Structure formats: structure tokens, C-alpha cells
Amino acid sequence: MLTRIANGRVIDPAHGRDAIGDVWIRDGRIADAPPNATRADETHDASGKIVMAGAIDIHSHIAGANTNTARLLLPEHHRASLPRPAATPLSTAGWSTFETGCRYAQMGFTTVVEPAVAPHHALHAHLELADTPIIDKAILAVLGNDDFLLDLMRTKGNSEAIRDTVAWTLETSRALGIKVINAGGAAAFKANVRAFSLDDEVPWYGVSSRAIVKALQHAVHDLGVPHPLHVHCTNLGLAGNADTALATIAAAEGLPLHLAHLQFYGYGKDGERGFSSAAPQLAEAVNGAKNITIDVGQVMFGQTVTISSDVLRQFNARDQARPRKWVIFDGDSNGGGIVPYNYRANDFYNALQWAIGLELFLLIDDPSRVFFTTDHPNGAPFTTYPEIFALLMSRDLRGEWISRLPPAAMAMTTLPSIAREYTLGEIATMTRAAPARLLGLNDRGHLGAGAGADVAVYHDDRDRAAMFRSAALVFKDGDLVVRDGEVTHYRFGRALNVRPGHDAAIGRRMTAYYDERYGLSDDFIKVPEFAIARPAPFGLVPCAR
Ligand SMILES: [Zn+2]
């Protein structure tokens, strides 16, 4: 089967291509142009349109225990929950597995990473992801507050044992990488600690947060896992926490490290209210540290729900729950917290958070080291992405928003003075070429021959939000799945994972550990092959917009 996407403006920064031309697909893969006069089996006219690779989201909470707990806590947010008021929280997002796959595809996204899965919840997460249509997906496994690792560090276990633990976790949970969330903080929470910083020690274990981050960073690097350690720092959401992020960047000491949702660490303590933007200092540090990548976690106004395995932070934020209900749960390692939240445009703090996220996008020079996220749904649902693309691409549009926000908040940020506007090429770098490289997935994020034929075609609409909300055509592995913003065909993607080798002894040790500690076979933590893929669609009904 030979498909030709003809005469579009092809933007493929991985190959330095931005020109009118064709993209060819042969049997699910991007192909070189065939000899002249070769006729395609199928031709799609893309003249006047933009052609990019399928987009990749590196950090979006779309499956697993926390996400499901949020669904159970907030049934009024579900599409199926009728009767209900016309505009309920998250009613534009939908958040069943089915809607998640459809709505990502409609925007031209074809790969999404669920970034926070406790290893003992990995099977649940994979089963939900397997039920999420169209997109390929992956999980990051969470370590760094679990008793096994902390005990290993307390007893001065050698770095080889830590490496084996990381490799065993990646293999058993079928993960693409490792994340650490408030390293040591969730473990300290079990000892009634309510404030925990980078150099604090976890009670009982006597290891600092810094030591945990560094041990995991080195293990991931030494194992050759492409995605660097994905770090959710300590002190999320607190005024003055930019110092924590700066200290974490310095602690990386030149080795690759990814800082998640940096907006939530972009806070200074200046001004009457003791809350200001520290985005310029953070951006300067990121610009100067080529080993560091970040994603933003942009805030947009409206109702959402915060979902996090930073149980300490979520516990401290429980009084801010709107509506006034929340779930905090503990357990081995991180536990989790679900706190619904409403970001309001007329609120000083929320308006400043919105500005700080945009400052980070615009002040970090290299679009291949700043990644596009809202930390869905923590900063905003992923369905707000088109509006954020538009804000990045237009200073005038930002000015309109700024004019409606509290002047006192806008006085504490440099955003009003920033003239930069993202180009389509920079958007493509940030959402295609760079995330593929960051995750070690060289079969996507570009339109070179041999790549999987994940392709998004957009109308070149002056209204960039409209353009990115509703792709003209989307192909997944060469299969046409979206036309004019509507899903036309369902298929199921793959679960992407890595399997670095490890010493067999770690397996025996884990078996003994789970037996002694929980009276459980360690089989409960091992995700079987059949759980990470779903062979064929059945019984699907169309995904209404
Ligand atoms: Zn997150």
C-alpha cells in the first residue's frame, strides 16, 4: 500500500525540512519518494496545509491508580454522568480511556507517556492504556520512596545493587523510564513530616532527598536508559521554591536530568504577598545547563483536578480542594493524593502561575529542551493544548489575556515584556523531534524514511487554536484515523518500554522481600506480555465531540 500526502508544507525539524512537498507512506512507514510517475494507491491533497509528524506528549496522567481514583471521586465530571449541568468541571475533556485516545488523536497526538505509575500499580495502568485507542503509550515507573531502595541505600548497598533494582523495576513494570516524586518526601510523610527539602533526611533511613535523586540518576544513566531520570522535585507549589529547582539543576552535575512541570517550581517570594515569578532565574539556569530538560506544566483557567503521588504536598493542599472533597492514600512508596482545584483568572496566585508557565516557554531559548505539558490534569486538561499553542505563537493574543488579569499579578512577572513568538518549526521541534529524542524513540517524531507513519496534517488556519484543535488528517502507522477533526477509524497502539539487563540475583532478592514483607508472590508486580497490548478493536462506538 503506497500513500501520498501531496503538496503540503512539510515541517520536519529533525531533517531541517520546511518546504512544500510530498510525504510518502509505504506499508505503515514513511518512505522515500518513489521514482517519477509512480502512482500512489491513495493520494491526499495537502495543498495549503501543514504536515508534521504525529505529536508526542511526555507527561500526562491518563491512566493508573491515581487517575482512576480521581474518576471515582468526581463522578459528576464524567460524560456518562447524566443529568448534570451543561458545563461541569472537565466536561470538555472527557476522561474515559476511550475519550482520551480519541481526543489526543483529533489534535494530531500519536504517542503519550503516563509519567507516574507505582510499580505495584503497573498492571492496572497498562490494562487501562491497552484500552486507550489509537495512540501509542508508555509509563514511567516511580521509585525513590520505596522501602526496598531506601533500605538498600541505608545499608550502603552498592551502586550495582541500585542499578539492578532499577533494571528489574523497568522490566517487571514494562516501563520506558524512571520517575522520582518528592524523593524521600513521601517516605518522610509516614513519620508525620510535613515539610521536606532536598537536603533533609528521611527518618529511619538516614538518606537525603539529594542522595536518592543522585543514586537514581546515576543508575538510569549507567544502564543506558535513553530517558534521563524524570524528577518531580521537593517543595512543589510553595513560594520561594525556585531555589529548590535551582539546587536540583546544580545537583545534576552535568549528567542528563529531566525536571517535570517546572512552572510549579517557578515561585519567588518578592512583593507584598510574598509570591512572585522566578521564571527568569530558572530559565537562565536551564539555558546554561545543556544536560537539563524540562516540561512546563502550564496552568490554564478553569476547573480541574490535581492528581499526584506527592502525597505530602497533596495532604498539605487538601484545604484548597474545590469542590470540597479529596482523597489521600498511603501505602508502600509514594501513595497518592487527589485534590480537585479551580484555577481562577481573577485570583492573584493563579494568574501569576499562568504567566510563569508562559515565561518558561518563552525564556528558555532551545525548544528542544522545553517540553509542552500542562501536567494533565494538574495545570489544565490536555484539551487546552490548542489554546496554549496559540498563546505561544502570538504576543497580541497574550496581551489580550494579560489585559484581563489582575494588574498586581502581572506586575510580578516579565511576561508582558516578552516579544518572542514561537514559529511552527519551533512547535514541531518541541512536540515532535525533541520528545522522540528525549525518550529514545527514533522511530517517531520525524518524517524520515523508515519512521512509523504517524503524520498529522493541519489546516494552515490563522486561528492557531482552531488549527491544532482539529487536525485535517491524522495517520497512525499509515492508517487514516482522523479526518476533519473526527475520528474515522479505531485501532490500538503499542506500549513502549525498555529492558536493560540485570543480575539474576535481584529477582531472587525481590521474591524473598515481597514474601517476607507482604506475604505476596512478586508475581503480582510483574506485568505479563498479554497485558500491554490489545490486538483488535471491537464494539467501539463513535467518539462524539
Ligand atoms: Zn505529573
Side-chain angles (χ1 to χ4, degrees), residues 59 61 115 179 261 375 378:
H59 190 119
H61 301 274
K179 184 184 188 194
H261 39 68
D375 192 16
N378 289 307

XYZ file of all heavy atoms in Angstrom, residues 59 61 115 179 261 375 378, ligand 1:
63
model
N 4.319 13.794 29.300
C 3.924 13.822 30.722
C 2.444 14.153 30.845
O 2.057 15.321 30.849
C 4.784 14.857 31.460
C 4.649 14.829 32.952
N 5.703 14.569 33.798
C 3.577 15.020 33.761
C 5.301 14.612 35.059
N 4.003 14.892 35.064
N -1.161 12.539 32.865
C -1.699 11.500 33.754
C -3.009 10.969 33.191
O -4.071 11.521 33.442
C -1.873 12.050 35.162
C -0.582 12.540 35.748
N 0.295 11.701 36.409
C 0.014 13.747 35.724
C 1.363 12.396 36.787
N 1.220 13.641 36.375
N 3.241 9.423 33.269
C 4.548 9.560 33.904
C 4.644 9.143 35.364
O 5.692 9.359 35.963
C 4.783 11.073 33.793
C 3.411 11.640 33.961
C 2.458 10.666 33.356
N 10.796 7.597 37.189
C 10.487 8.911 37.737
C 10.677 8.862 39.243
O 10.430 7.827 39.866
C 9.037 9.277 37.422
C 8.663 10.682 37.884
C 7.194 10.954 37.647
C 6.870 12.418 37.926
N 5.418 12.629 38.023
N 7.200 19.517 35.067
C 6.297 20.645 35.387
C 6.985 21.758 36.179
O 6.590 22.088 37.296
C 5.041 20.156 36.098
C 5.228 19.048 37.102
N 5.890 19.238 38.280
C 4.848 17.746 37.086
C 5.901 18.096 38.950
N 5.285 17.181 38.249
N 0.934 19.093 32.537
C 0.896 18.108 33.610
C -0.551 17.618 33.757
O -1.055 17.478 34.859
C 1.426 18.727 34.921
C 1.674 17.687 35.997
O 1.743 16.489 35.662
O 1.780 18.089 37.173
N -3.207 18.376 36.054
C -2.851 19.216 37.212
C -2.851 20.711 36.916
O -3.309 21.503 37.732
C -1.487 18.799 37.755
C -1.560 17.449 38.441
O -2.374 17.233 39.311
N -0.707 16.516 38.025
Zn 2.702 14.983 36.669
